[in-house]
Amino acid sequence: MGGIWGLAASTALENLPVEARGLASGVLQQGYAVGYLLAACINLKLVPDTPVGWRSLFWTAAGISLFAAGIRAVLPESEVFLRAKAIEKAKGTSTGKKTKVFVKETGAMLRRHWLLCIYAVLLMTGFNFLSHGSQDLYPTYLQESKGFSPHNATVATIIGNCGAIAGGFFAGWISQYLGRRLTIVIFVLLIGAFIPLWILPTSFGGLSAGAFWVQVGVQGAWGVIPIQLAEMSPPAFRATFPGVAYQLGNMVSSAASQIEATGGENLRTNIVVNGVLKNVPDYATVQGILIGVVAAFVVFITIIGPEYVSMDCHHRSRSPVRLLRKHGSHFEKHRTAFEEGAAQDNALFEDEILAERERESRAQEGESVDEKNEKTSEERVEERV
């Protein structure tokens, strides 16, 4: 997963028009929610009817992953990558040299953007706590603290993921107009507004509604993350930087379920199950506190963070091109990480094109001067005659 996500986000976004990338970000990220939804459906119908139980879910998921790999294998490579590869082939750069260049440019990028790297890891720590804290132990919460059957807990999970898909699509699209940070803040505040509906009801309908709206907020905010990280990243590292930041945040947040389980064991409540009073872990209160604290942290870290946009200006060659102010939305115009100077924020791919055009322009100017000189000589001969 660590290898796939950054590459998938970069490939999906860099080949699309800038105006469509917000929506595409939401669609891309909701592959997560669609997979979760599919897994819940399999758990609902297939797992109870197979002798191997939960293992059938893992085997099915493995087959789906293999199918996805096959689909990707037959799809064409990114045009941006092919363009950069063609330039490197023309230069005769070997694989060994490209590796050395990549390591060198990575070091230069880290020295230049170490603070941004720390910020990205903190941002993704908050986001991963938000998703895992509201999802991983959710079926257990419904069964242990609310007395739901496994069937109803799974159905509620499915309803929550429907909200996640809707929220991701809408948030990705609206971020194109409101901005990435403002959209994230709005959807995280939506989570806070629906935490009471997430934990207070005892009926299936009330808790399912809470799951729907909380996941609209969680995955709505997440729907902006692929494009936010892509625009935030040093452009040459738009596959490596988001993927590593995502998984480092994921590593830190892996404690979410353990925190909730430990909290539930120490904070308990009583519920009535089939007319009998039963003492159970109070996962509702624990999850409400955790999600509320994490949501506040995500709002804070998002507000103090950067939002990168592009601006029109002129290149040093005086040709009108689009440069990036602190990276930005036109990251596909930047050199790739295995090219010399890629760690520089203004090392645009257009440099190669502009240099070639300048050479052609000079050659054409030279031909024009020669033609003019020849014509002048002919006129002089005629005047002498």
Side-chain angles (χ1 to χ4, degrees), residues 171-187:
W173 170 72
I174 204 68
S175 74
Q176 203 68 32
Y177 304 96
L178 298 182
R180 315 302 185 200
R181 287 190 305 162
L182 179 57
T183 303
I184 290 173
V185 169
I186 290 172
F187 276 82

Side-chain angles (χ1 to χ4, degrees), residues 208-281:
S208 296
F212 181 91
W213 287 108
V214 165
Q215 292 307 319
V216 166
V218 171
Q219 289 303 320
W222 261 104
V224 186
I225 282 299
I227 188 61
Q228 170 74 340
L229 285 180
E231 293 176 347
M232 179 192 304
S233 303
F237 299 88
R238 60 185 176 272
T240 305
F241 184 96
V244 173
Y246 186 152
Q247 298 307 329
L248 284 175
N250 213 3
M251 180 180 70
V252 177
S253 71
S254 61
S257 296
Q258 188 64 35
I259 291 172
E260 291 179 343
T262 303
E265 290 301 319
N266 289 278
L267 185 65
R268 304 183 69 84
T269 187
N270 295 317
I271 63 171
V272 177
V273 180
N274 297 324
V276 178
L277 190 65
K278 183 178 180 182
N279 185 258
V280 298

Side-chain angles (χ1 to χ4, degrees), residues 134 138 141-142 156 159-161 163-164 190-201 203-218 291:
S134 64
Y138 182 67
Y141 151 55
L142 293 181
I159 293 171
N161 278 285
L190 182 69
I191 298 171
F194 281 99
I195 286 177
L197 189 60
W198 170 272
I199 64 176
L200 294 180
S203 66
F204 173 81
L207 289 169
S208 296
F212 181 91
W213 287 108
V214 165
Q215 292 307 319
V216 166
V218 171
I291 296 169

Side-chain angles (χ1 to χ4, degrees), residues 105-381:
E105 295 301 325
T106 300
M109 180 273 291
L110 291 174
R111 288 191 296 272
R112 180 183 294 269
H113 297 297
W114 63 271
L115 190 59
L116 180 64
C117 294
I118 294 173
Y119 171 80
V121 173
L122 289 175
L123 178 69
M124 296 316 298
T125 296
F127 264 89
N128 278 288
F129 260 112
L130 204 58
S131 58
H132 292 294
S134 64
Q135 295 167 0
D136 292 359
L137 217 64
Y138 182 67
T140 302
Y141 151 55
L142 293 181
Q143 293 178 55
E144 295 290 330
S145 301
K146 298 296 182 178
F148 279 29
S149 67
H151 179 276
N152 285 346
T154 302
V155 172
T157 301
I158 292 172
I159 293 171
N161 278 285
C162 291
I165 295 168
F169 282 19
F170 181 72
W173 170 72
I174 204 68
S175 74
Q176 203 68 32
Y177 304 96
L178 298 182
R180 315 302 185 200
R181 287 190 305 162
L182 179 57
T183 303
I184 290 173
V185 169
I186 290 172
F187 276 82
V188 174
L189 291 177
L190 182 69
I191 298 171
F194 281 99
I195 286 177
L197 189 60
W198 170 272
I199 64 176
L200 294 180
T202 57
S203 66
F204 173 81
L207 289 169
S208 296
F212 181 91
W213 287 108
V214 165
Q215 292 307 319
V216 166
V218 171
Q219 289 303 320
W222 261 104
V224 186
I225 282 299
I227 188 61
Q228 170 74 340
L229 285 180
E231 293 176 347
M232 179 192 304
S233 303
F237 299 88
R238 60 185 176 272
T240 305
F241 184 96
V244 173
Y246 186 152
Q247 298 307 329
L248 284 175
N250 213 3
M251 180 180 70
V252 177
S253 71
S254 61
S257 296
Q258 188 64 35
I259 291 172
E260 291 179 343
T262 303
E265 290 301 319
N266 289 278
L267 185 65
R268 304 183 69 84
T269 187
N270 295 317
I271 63 171
V272 177
V273 180
N274 297 324
V276 178
L277 190 65
K278 183 178 180 182
N279 185 258
V280 298
D282 191 2
Y283 289 130
T285 302
V286 172
Q287 287 197 358
I289 294 172
L290 179 65
I291 296 169
V293 170
V294 172
F297 171 77
V298 171
V299 168
F300 171 75
I301 201 74
T302 301
I303 289 175
I304 67 170
E307 180 156 359
Y308 297 125
V309 295
S310 60
M311 65 178 182
D312 289 319
C313 57
H314 290 274
H315 191 262
R316 59 178 176 270
S317 64
R318 296 182 181 179
S319 297
V321 298
R322 186 177 295 272
L323 286 179
L324 304 181
R325 183 179 66 199
K326 289 292 185 181
H327 320 152
S329 56
H330 289 271
F331 44 78
E332 78 285 354
K333 296 186 177 183
H334 201 279
R335 294 180 187 178
T336 54
F338 52 80
E339 295 180 85
E340 292 281 357
Q344 300 295 324
D345 290 342
N346 61 348
L348 302 181
F349 178 77
E350 278 90 345
D351 288 358
E352 305 287 343
I353 300 175
L354 292 169
E356 182 63 25
R357 288 178 178 174
E358 189 173 354
R359 287 192 292 268
E360 293 176 357
S361 177
R362 288 177 180 176
Q364 291 175 357
E365 290 176 1
E367 292 174 359
S368 299
V369 170
D370 291 339
E371 291 175 359
K372 184 177 181 180
N373 290 338
E374 290 175 4
K375 184 176 181 180
T376 303
S377 299
E378 293 174 358
E379 290 175 352
R380 288 175 180 175
V381 170

